Amino acid sequence: MMNAFRFQTVPTVVVEFGAARRLGALLREQYPTGNRLCVVTDGFLHKSGLLAPALADLAKHDWQVSVIDDVIADPPEHVVLEAAERARAADAEIVLGLGGGSSMDVAKLLAVLLPGTQSIKEMYGVKKVTGTRLPLVQMPTTAGTGSEVTAVSIVTTGETTKMGVVAPQLYADLAILDAELTLGLPRAATAATGIDAMVHAIEAYTSAHLKNPNSDTLAVKALELLSRNLLPACNDGNLREAREAMLLGAMFAGQAFANSPVAAVHALAYPIGGIFHVAHGLSNALVLSHVMRFNAPAANKHYAELADVILPAKISGSDEAKTNALIQHIEQLIVDTAIPRTLREVGVKQDDIARMASDAMLQTRLLVNNPREVTEADAFAIYSAAF
């Protein structure tokens, strides 16, 4: 008997090398009558000149563009609200998120805040958004978050806390994947965002409640693409084939976890990012293998199925043996990328672990999806193992 399930994703996806160079034309196809476009990005991308060809083509196709380029990683609530004010002043009709996950997350929130009457605080949680949104397009410049195809936006709400807005209104009309925008992404960023995407696929495949055949298929394909191309993309930042595979894999993983949600890896990563300002992908990488070991008794069968897909040499034997081989393979992959591997390397002290374990327990939205129940003592043990 198959469980009933619901699967949603962005209705239109364009995958095209060099698409940014004809962005104005692409948006004209999608919105023939639109005029005022708000581009949400970060200062580095804007100043680096990476967006210049896209902005030139937008002008050529008569788009009036206002650029909001002060998005920062893990965007605080005030950054979102200030961006909304600027977009409102520009009378934006269409919102384009262009950048990493943070830029795309802010773009989603602008699209629902501008036409609505709700405050952002009323939107935190699952399905709390009541209104409609402005037309929304997403264009990632990293192969990681999958935010271009998810209905989630994460906001930093306090010194160390994050909240999520999860609502179907946050799905874009159009996602554009142009791997040219990811060429030359530095090794550390390539590694952290790539591991982040792998976590999305692994957690979607083992999610406790909403796991479904569509998400499973996407998660498996995502892991295959990501695991085979992560090191080539790290070792040669301009390898087009690897960059295209990483971008596609990250999107597939995003489509998977948008419908079969992530769990304890993310729940335990949030305090690392919130308290120590560690990038989200790296926070995930630091706890990934330790959470998998904890989950193994409940998730061996699913981990073994993933091992059959991504291990270079096929492993025979029990589910437990395959699971161990998968975890070792992922640990070696992280070693080979040369990103930090322990909590102490990112500034965590032994005395911080109790507070982190307590904070992780607040992530009930995520923990409920884990294949095995996580107590505060379990979180403490997992962080200790990662220390």
Side-chain angles (χ1 to χ4, degrees):
M1 292 282 287
M2 186 188 296
N3 290 329
F5 71 94
R6 177 189 185 92
F7 185 90
Q8 278 184 287
T9 193
V10 170
T12 306
V13 174
V14 171
V15 181
E16 179 188 326
F17 195 85
R21 297 177 181 278
R22 59 182 208 93
L23 183 58
L26 274 172
L27 294 190
R28 266 292 156 241
E29 288 171 28
Q30 183 77 19
Y31 308 112
T33 58
N35 197 11
R36 293 182 301 281
L37 176 73
C38 172
V39 177
V40 183
T41 187
D42 64 66
F44 173 77
L45 282 178
H46 196 188
K47 293 181 186 74
S48 71
L50 189 71
L51 309 187
L55 294 171
D57 197 65
L58 288 166
K60 187 173 140 189
H61 289 87
D62 301 322
W63 290 100
Q64 291 175 27
V65 180
S66 52
V67 179
I68 294 174
D69 67 356
D70 49 6
V71 174
I72 56 174
D74 303 311
E77 190 176 83
H78 72 86
V79 167
V80 178
L81 296 176
E82 285 155 20
E85 281 310 306
R86 289 170 58 190
R88 202 171 268 126
D91 199 14
E93 296 173 302
I94 296 164
V95 180
L96 169 71
L98 210 172
S102 296
S103 294
M104 291 189 285
D105 279 10
V106 172
K108 290 174 188 176
L109 293 171
L110 295 198
V112 290
L113 283 166
L114 262 59
T117 53
Q118 272 181 297
S119 73
I120 192 168
K121 286 181 168 55
E122 293 171 300
M123 295 180 178
Y124 293 135
V126 180
K127 295 187 176 171
K128 299 285 177 65
V129 178
T130 55
T132 56
R133 65 155 169 76
L134 291 182
L136 176 64
V137 180
Q138 299 281 30
M139 201 163 182
T141 57
T142 63
T145 64
S147 183
E148 67 274 12
V149 289
T150 72
V152 183
S153 185
I154 304 297
V155 183
T156 301
T157 49
E159 274 300 304
T160 62
T161 50
K162 293 183 178 188
M163 296 285 280
V165 178
V166 185
Q169 290 94 326
L170 300 189
Y171 283 115
D173 302 313
L174 170 66
I176 304 171
L177 270 60
D178 176 3
E180 188 173 31
L181 294 176
T182 69
L183 293 180
L185 188 70
R187 183 186 183 96
T190 300
T193 54
I195 300 289
D196 187 26
M198 289 179 67
V199 171
H200 294 153
I202 292 165
E203 293 211 287
Y205 197 80
T206 54
S207 196
H209 295 296
L210 297 170
K211 180 175 162 68
N212 64 78
N214 263 20
S215 284
D216 285 353
T217 304
L218 288 158
V220 166
K221 188 62 186 175
L223 262 185
E224 193 181 301
L225 288 166
L226 295 163
S227 64
R228 289 176 189 172
N229 289 280
L230 179 63
L231 288 180
C234 284
N235 293 334
D236 179 354
N238 290 302
L239 196 61
R240 176 175 162 173
E241 297 80 6
R243 290 294 183 186
E244 288 180 319
M246 291 299 292
L247 201 53
L248 195 58
M251 184 192 68
F252 286 158
Q255 289 175 317
F257 92 85
N259 292 277
S260 177
V262 293
V265 177
H266 276 71
L268 270 70
Y270 279 153
I272 304 170
I275 300 168
F276 300 96
H277 305 293
V278 174
H280 172 67
L282 177 54
S283 299
N284 272 333
L286 290 166
V287 293
L288 172 58
S289 63
H290 306 287
V291 173
M292 289 179 73
R293 282 209 171 82
F294 171 80
N295 283 343
N300 266 332
K301 178 177 176 290
H302 295 140
Y303 287 153
E305 289 164 359
L306 294 178
D308 286 338
V309 175
I310 75 163
L311 291 184
K314 293 288 177 256
I315 306 281
S316 57
S318 66
D319 287 350
E320 288 78 6
K322 289 181 178 182
T323 295
N324 282 331
L326 175 68
I327 294 170
Q328 285 169 4
H329 177 71
I330 288 169
E331 284 179 327
Q332 189 58 49
L333 204 54
I334 292 171
V335 168
D336 292 343
T337 65
I339 58 176
R341 303 203 313 277
T342 62
L343 293 176
R344 63 166 71 88
E345 287 175 72
V346 297
V348 178
K349 305 278 190 292
Q350 193 90 49
D351 294 349
D352 297 319
I353 291 177
R355 178 196 174 184
M356 290 161 63
S358 171
D359 278 12
M361 290 300 103
L362 302 175
Q363 299 293 335
T364 50
R365 174 178 71 84
L366 303 172
L367 290 170
V368 69
N369 304 313
N370 204 57
R372 186 178 172 196
E373 188 188 349
V374 184
T375 65
E376 194 169 325
D378 295 328
F380 187 92
I382 292 166
Y383 283 136
S384 298
F387 184 73

